[in-house]
Amino acid sequence: MTWLQALVLGLVQGLTEFLPVSSSAHLRIVSSVFFGDDAGASFTAVTQLGTEAAVLVYFAKDIWRIIVAWFTTLTEKMSARSREMVPITDQVTTKLPIVTAGGPVPYGLDEDRQRELDYRIGWYVIIATIPIGVIGFVLKDQIRTGARNLWLVSFMLIAFALVIAAAEHYGAKRRSIEQLTNRDGLVMGFAQCLALIPGVSRSGATSSAGLFLGLEREAAVRFSFLLAIPAVTASGLFSLPDAFEPAGEGLNASGPQLLVATIVSFVVGYASVAWLLKFVSKHSFNWFVGYRIVLGLVIMGLLAAGVVSAT
C-alpha cells in the first residue's frame, strides 16, 4: 500500500462509516477500481477504530452517563436484593447518588427517569452486541474472503437500498429514544449482523430496523451509533495483527500507514457524525437510496465489461 492509498482509504472510511451506504463496500470498491486490489477486511476493521473513536468523543457525555447509570443502578438493585434479608428497621433508605463528570447530581423526577433510561440503554447495547459477536467469530473466514466478491457487494448495495426505502415508507417514526424496549435492542442487534456483508451498511441495517419498529429517525440513528461501539471496537482490535499480513493477496499496509489512515478516518468521521444527526432530523434516508442503486449498477456494469475483477 502506498501513502496515497492509505490517505484516500482513510478519507473514504471517515466519510462513509456513518452514512447508510456501507463503508466496507466503498473501501472495497475504491481500492479495486482505483488501486487495482482489495485493501482487505482487516484494514477496513482497523480503520473503523478511528471512526468509532469519533463516536466516543462526540457522544462522550452520553456514554459516560450511561456507564455510570448502569453500574450505579445495578449496584443499587443488588443492594436492594440483599436488604430483603435484613429487618425493616435496619434497612438503608437513602438512594445512591448519580455521579457525573461534574460530581454528584441531586435526585429529582427528571434525573431518576434519565438514569433509568441510561441503565436500560446500557443493557440493550450489551444484549444487542451478543449476536454479531457470535456470528462474526463463526463466519470470520467467509467475511474476509467470499463476502468481499464485488458482485455480491454491488447486489447488496441495491437490495438493501430497497430495504431502507421500505423502512422509510412503512416506519411509523413516532417513538422517541425514551421509549426503547428490550425487543428494540435485540432486533437492531440482529440487524447489525447483516453489516458483516459489505454493501449492507451497519448504520443502514440498524437504523432501518429501528424505523420498522416505529422509532423516530434520529432516535434510531443515535442508538445505532451507540450499538456499533463495542462490536466495531472489538472487531478492529481483533483484526489488528492480520492487517499487517492480510490473508491471501491484497494491499499490505505498514504500521505508520494504518495509523495515519485511522487518524484521517477519525477526523473526517467526527464531522460526518455531526452532519448526519442534523441531516436526519430534517431529511429522510431516501436521499441515500438512489445513490446506492446507482453505485451498485455502475459496479455491475464495470464487472460485466471486465474493467474490474470481482475477487
Side-chain angles (χ1 to χ4, degrees), residues 16-285:
T16 59
E17 171 65 20
F18 305 114
L19 306 183
V21 296
S22 179
S23 62
S24 56
H26 278 74
L27 286 176
R28 176 71 179 93
I29 291 168
V30 170
S31 58
S32 292
V33 173
F34 295 100
F35 304 133
D37 213 335
D38 184 5
S42 296
F43 178 88
T44 301
V46 172
T47 54
Q48 283 178 334
L49 290 175
T51 46
E52 285 313 302
V55 172
L56 289 173
V57 173
Y58 190 88
F59 290 104
K61 292 182 179 179
D62 293 340
I63 294 169
W64 171 252
R65 198 182 62 242
I66 290 170
I67 292 173
V68 170
W70 189 84
F71 279 105
T72 302
T73 306
L74 186 64
T75 301
E76 186 180 60
K77 290 181 181 292
M78 293 176 64
S79 298
R81 291 193 186 95
S82 65
R83 287 199 301 268
E84 291 178 358
M85 302 301 295
V86 179
I88 294 295
T89 54
D90 295 334
Q91 289 187 12
V92 179
T93 57
T94 56
K95 292 183 177 180
L96 292 175
I98 299 176
V99 180
T100 67
V105 175
Y107 269 91
L109 181 60
D110 291 341
E111 287 81 2
D112 276 344
R113 186 182 296 117
Q114 182 66 60
R115 189 182 69 157
E116 181 61 28
L117 171 63
D118 292 335
Y119 173 70
R120 288 191 290 109
I121 289 178
W123 272 118
Y124 299 159
V125 170
I126 293 172
I127 294 171
T129 301
I130 296 174
I132 195 172
V134 174
I135 295 175
F137 179 78
V138 172
L139 301 179
K140 61 181 183 297
D141 293 333
Q142 289 81 357
I143 294 168
R144 294 176 179 177
T145 54
R148 300 184 68 78
N149 185 291
L150 278 179
W151 279 111
L152 176 61
V153 171
S154 55
F155 172 79
M156 294 308 298
L157 279 169
I158 297 171
F160 215 81
L162 302 179
V163 174
I164 295 173
E168 273 289 352
H169 181 74
Y170 294 106
K173 296 183 280 291
R174 295 175 180 172
R175 298 167 54 216
S176 66
I177 198 166
E178 287 81 7
Q179 295 172 294
L180 274 172
T181 66
N182 197 28
R183 185 193 66 162
D184 298 330
L186 198 56
V187 171
M188 293 176 73
F190 275 103
Q192 184 177 216
C193 297
L194 297 173
L196 294 172
I197 306 173
V200 171
S201 168
R202 185 185 307 274
S203 62
T206 52
S207 297
S208 293
L211 293 180
F212 277 123
L213 291 166
L215 292 175
E216 295 173 346
R217 195 179 298 110
E218 189 173 358
V221 171
R222 280 184 174 274
F223 185 69
S224 174
F225 285 163
L226 295 174
L227 179 58
I229 293 173
V232 173
T233 302
S235 175
L237 295 176
F238 181 78
S239 301
L240 192 57
D242 297 326
F244 297 101
E245 296 181 5
E249 297 182 358
L251 299 172
N252 195 337
S254 66
Q257 287 172 335
L258 269 174
L259 178 61
V260 170
T262 303
I263 292 174
V264 171
S265 71
F266 165 77
V267 175
V268 179
Y270 186 89
S272 296
V273 172
W275 178 83
L276 183 61
L277 286 174
K278 291 181 180 178
F279 182 86
V280 298
S281 65
K282 299 179 180 179
H283 304 87
S284 75
F285 284 132

